[in-house]
Short mmCIF file of all heavy atoms in Angstrom, two decimals:
data_model
loop_
_atom_site.label_atom_id
_atom_site.label_comp_id
_atom_site.label_asym_id
_atom_site.label_seq_id
_atom_site.Cartn_x
_atom_site.Cartn_y
_atom_site.Cartn_z
N PRO A 284 22.44 13.04 9.39
CA PRO A 284 22.20 13.40 7.99
C PRO A 284 21.17 12.52 7.28
O PRO A 284 20.56 12.96 6.30
CB PRO A 284 23.59 13.26 7.36
CG PRO A 284 24.54 13.53 8.48
CD PRO A 284 23.89 12.92 9.69
N ASP A 285 20.97 11.30 7.77
CA ASP A 285 19.99 10.41 7.14
C ASP A 285 18.60 10.51 7.76
O ASP A 285 17.71 9.73 7.43
CB ASP A 285 20.48 8.96 7.18
CG ASP A 285 20.61 8.41 8.60
OD1 ASP A 285 20.38 9.17 9.57
OD2 ASP A 285 20.95 7.21 8.74
N ASN A 318 9.16 10.42 8.38
CA ASN A 318 9.53 9.55 7.27
C ASN A 318 8.64 9.82 6.06
O ASN A 318 7.43 9.59 6.13
CB ASN A 318 9.39 8.08 7.70
CG ASN A 318 10.16 7.13 6.84
OD1 ASN A 318 11.00 7.53 6.06
ND2 ASN A 318 9.88 5.84 6.99
N THR A 319 9.22 10.35 4.94
CA THR A 319 10.62 10.70 4.77
C THR A 319 10.97 11.92 5.61
O THR A 319 10.08 12.65 6.03
CB THR A 319 10.95 11.00 3.29
OG1 THR A 319 10.21 12.16 2.86
CG2 THR A 319 10.53 9.84 2.40
N SER A 323 16.40 16.51 5.77
CA SER A 323 17.54 15.67 5.42
C SER A 323 17.53 15.32 3.94
O SER A 323 18.25 14.43 3.50
CB SER A 323 17.56 14.39 6.27
OG SER A 323 17.71 14.70 7.64
N GLY A 324 16.68 16.00 3.19
CA GLY A 324 16.66 15.80 1.75
C GLY A 324 15.69 14.73 1.29
O GLY A 324 15.84 14.20 0.19
N GLY A 325 14.69 14.42 2.11
CA GLY A 325 13.75 13.37 1.72
C GLY A 325 14.30 11.98 1.95
O GLY A 325 13.94 11.03 1.24
N LYS A 326 15.16 11.84 2.96
CA LYS A 326 15.74 10.52 3.28
C LYS A 326 14.68 9.60 3.89
O LYS A 326 13.76 10.05 4.58
CB LYS A 326 16.90 10.68 4.25
CG LYS A 326 18.10 11.44 3.71
CD LYS A 326 18.87 10.62 2.70
CE LYS A 326 20.15 11.32 2.29
NZ LYS A 326 21.11 11.49 3.40
N CYS A 327 14.87 8.31 3.67
CA CYS A 327 13.92 7.30 4.14
C CYS A 327 14.42 6.62 5.41
O CYS A 327 15.59 6.21 5.48
CB CYS A 327 13.70 6.23 3.07
SG CYS A 327 13.18 6.87 1.47
N LEU A 328 13.56 6.48 6.38
CA LEU A 328 13.87 5.69 7.57
C LEU A 328 13.44 4.24 7.31
O LEU A 328 12.31 3.99 6.90
CB LEU A 328 13.14 6.22 8.80
CG LEU A 328 13.32 7.70 9.15
CD1 LEU A 328 12.67 8.00 10.51
CD2 LEU A 328 14.78 8.09 9.16
N ASN A 356 6.19 7.90 -0.33
CA ASN A 356 7.48 8.04 -1.02
C ASN A 356 8.51 7.11 -0.40
O ASN A 356 9.29 6.47 -1.12
CB ASN A 356 7.97 9.48 -0.92
CG ASN A 356 7.14 10.44 -1.74
OD1 ASN A 356 6.14 10.96 -1.27
ND2 ASN A 356 7.56 10.69 -2.98
N ALA A 357 8.54 7.04 0.92
CA ALA A 357 9.49 6.15 1.60
C ALA A 357 9.21 4.70 1.25
O ALA A 357 10.13 3.91 0.97
CB ALA A 357 9.41 6.35 3.11
N VAL A 359 7.78 3.43 -1.44
CA VAL A 359 8.16 3.14 -2.82
C VAL A 359 9.68 3.08 -2.96
O VAL A 359 10.24 2.17 -3.60
CB VAL A 359 7.56 4.19 -3.77
CG1 VAL A 359 8.17 4.08 -5.17
CG2 VAL A 359 6.04 4.03 -3.84
N ALA A 360 10.39 4.04 -2.36
CA ALA A 360 11.84 4.08 -2.49
C ALA A 360 12.51 2.87 -1.85
O ALA A 360 13.51 2.35 -2.36
CB ALA A 360 12.38 5.36 -1.87
N LEU A 361 11.97 2.44 -0.72
CA LEU A 361 12.55 1.30 0.00
C LEU A 361 12.05 -0.04 -0.51
O LEU A 361 12.64 -1.08 -0.21
CB LEU A 361 12.24 1.41 1.50
CG LEU A 361 12.87 2.59 2.25
CD1 LEU A 361 12.25 2.71 3.65
CD2 LEU A 361 14.38 2.44 2.34
N LEU A 433 4.97 7.55 -8.02
CA LEU A 433 6.03 8.08 -7.16
C LEU A 433 7.42 7.63 -7.60
O LEU A 433 8.38 8.40 -7.52
CB LEU A 433 5.78 7.68 -5.70
CG LEU A 433 4.52 8.29 -5.06
CD1 LEU A 433 4.34 7.76 -3.65
CD2 LEU A 433 4.58 9.81 -5.05
N HIS A 437 10.75 9.95 -8.35
CA HIS A 437 12.09 9.74 -7.79
C HIS A 437 13.13 9.66 -8.91
O HIS A 437 14.24 10.18 -8.77
CB HIS A 437 12.11 8.46 -6.95
CG HIS A 437 11.14 8.47 -5.80
ND1 HIS A 437 10.87 7.34 -5.06
CD2 HIS A 437 10.38 9.47 -5.28
CE1 HIS A 437 9.98 7.65 -4.12
NE2 HIS A 437 9.66 8.93 -4.26
N ARG A 438 12.76 9.00 -10.02
CA ARG A 438 13.68 8.91 -11.15
C ARG A 438 13.98 10.30 -11.71
O ARG A 438 15.14 10.64 -11.99
CB ARG A 438 13.06 8.03 -12.24
CG ARG A 438 13.92 7.93 -13.51
CD ARG A 438 13.19 7.23 -14.65
NE ARG A 438 12.00 7.94 -15.08
CZ ARG A 438 11.99 9.02 -15.88
NH1 ARG A 438 13.16 9.52 -16.32
NH2 ARG A 438 10.87 9.60 -16.23
N ALA A 440 13.82 13.11 -10.15
CA ALA A 440 14.65 13.84 -9.19
C ALA A 440 16.12 13.51 -9.37
O ALA A 440 16.99 14.39 -9.30
CB ALA A 440 14.20 13.52 -7.76
N LYS A 441 16.41 12.24 -9.64
CA LYS A 441 17.81 11.84 -9.87
C LYS A 441 18.34 12.43 -11.17
O LYS A 441 19.51 12.84 -11.24
CB LYS A 441 17.91 10.31 -9.87
CG LYS A 441 17.71 9.67 -8.50
CD LYS A 441 17.83 8.17 -8.55
CE LYS A 441 17.83 7.55 -7.16
NZ LYS A 441 16.59 7.82 -6.41
N ASP A 456 25.00 16.37 -3.66
CA ASP A 456 25.30 15.02 -3.18
C ASP A 456 24.30 14.06 -3.81
O ASP A 456 23.14 13.96 -3.37
CB ASP A 456 25.21 14.96 -1.65
CG ASP A 456 25.49 13.58 -1.10
OD1 ASP A 456 25.88 12.68 -1.88
OD2 ASP A 456 25.32 13.38 0.12
N LEU A 457 24.72 13.38 -4.86
CA LEU A 457 23.80 12.51 -5.59
C LEU A 457 23.29 11.36 -4.73
O LEU A 457 22.16 10.90 -4.92
CB LEU A 457 24.49 11.95 -6.84
CG LEU A 457 24.93 12.99 -7.88
CD1 LEU A 457 25.60 12.29 -9.06
CD2 LEU A 457 23.74 13.82 -8.35
N THR A 458 24.08 10.92 -3.78
CA THR A 458 23.65 9.80 -2.93
C THR A 458 22.52 10.20 -1.99
O THR A 458 21.84 9.34 -1.43
CB THR A 458 24.83 9.25 -2.11
OG1 THR A 458 25.29 10.27 -1.20
CG2 THR A 458 25.97 8.82 -3.01
N SER A 459 22.33 11.51 -1.80
CA SER A 459 21.29 11.96 -0.88
C SER A 459 19.91 11.99 -1.52
O SER A 459 18.90 12.17 -0.83
CB SER A 459 21.63 13.36 -0.34
OG SER A 459 21.48 14.34 -1.36
N VAL A 460 19.87 11.83 -2.84
CA VAL A 460 18.58 11.93 -3.55
C VAL A 460 17.93 10.55 -3.54
O VAL A 460 18.15 9.73 -4.43
CB VAL A 460 18.78 12.46 -4.98
CG1 VAL A 460 17.42 12.63 -5.66
CG2 VAL A 460 19.53 13.78 -4.96
N GLU A 461 17.10 10.32 -2.53
CA GLU A 461 16.45 9.02 -2.38
C GLU A 461 15.00 9.05 -2.85
O GLU A 461 14.45 8.02 -3.23
CB GLU A 461 16.49 8.58 -0.91
CG GLU A 461 17.90 8.31 -0.39
CD GLU A 461 17.91 7.80 1.04
OE1 GLU A 461 16.80 7.64 1.63
OE2 GLU A 461 19.00 7.56 1.57
N THR A 462 14.37 10.22 -2.79
CA THR A 462 12.96 10.29 -3.16
C THR A 462 12.74 11.44 -4.15
O THR A 462 13.36 11.45 -5.19
CB THR A 462 12.07 10.43 -1.89
OG1 THR A 462 12.54 11.54 -1.10
CG2 THR A 462 12.13 9.16 -1.06
N ASN A 463 11.88 12.40 -3.82
CA ASN A 463 11.50 13.41 -4.81
C ASN A 463 12.09 14.79 -4.53
O ASN A 463 11.65 15.77 -5.13
CB ASN A 463 9.96 13.52 -4.88
CG ASN A 463 9.34 14.02 -3.57
OD1 ASN A 463 9.84 13.73 -2.48
ND2 ASN A 463 8.24 14.75 -3.68
N MET A 464 13.06 14.89 -3.63
CA MET A 464 13.66 16.17 -3.29
C MET A 464 15.10 16.24 -3.78
O MET A 464 15.83 15.25 -3.69
CB MET A 464 13.65 16.40 -1.78
CG MET A 464 12.29 16.53 -1.17
SD MET A 464 12.43 16.88 0.61
CE MET A 464 10.70 16.89 1.04
N VAL A 465 15.47 17.42 -4.26
CA VAL A 465 16.86 17.67 -4.67
C VAL A 465 17.34 18.94 -3.98
O VAL A 465 16.74 20.01 -4.15
CB VAL A 465 16.98 17.82 -6.20
CG1 VAL A 465 18.43 18.11 -6.58
CG2 VAL A 465 16.46 16.58 -6.92
#
Side-chain angles (χ1 to χ4, degrees):
D285 64 357
N318 199 14
T319 64
S323 297
K326 295 287 187 64
C327 305
L328 306 188
N356 290 87
V359 168
L361 295 170
L433 294 177
H437 301 170
R438 177 189 63 78
K441 289 180 172 61
D456 179 6
L457 297 180
T458 64
S459 71
V460 184
E461 295 183 1
T462 53
N463 64 327
M464 295 183 183
V465 179

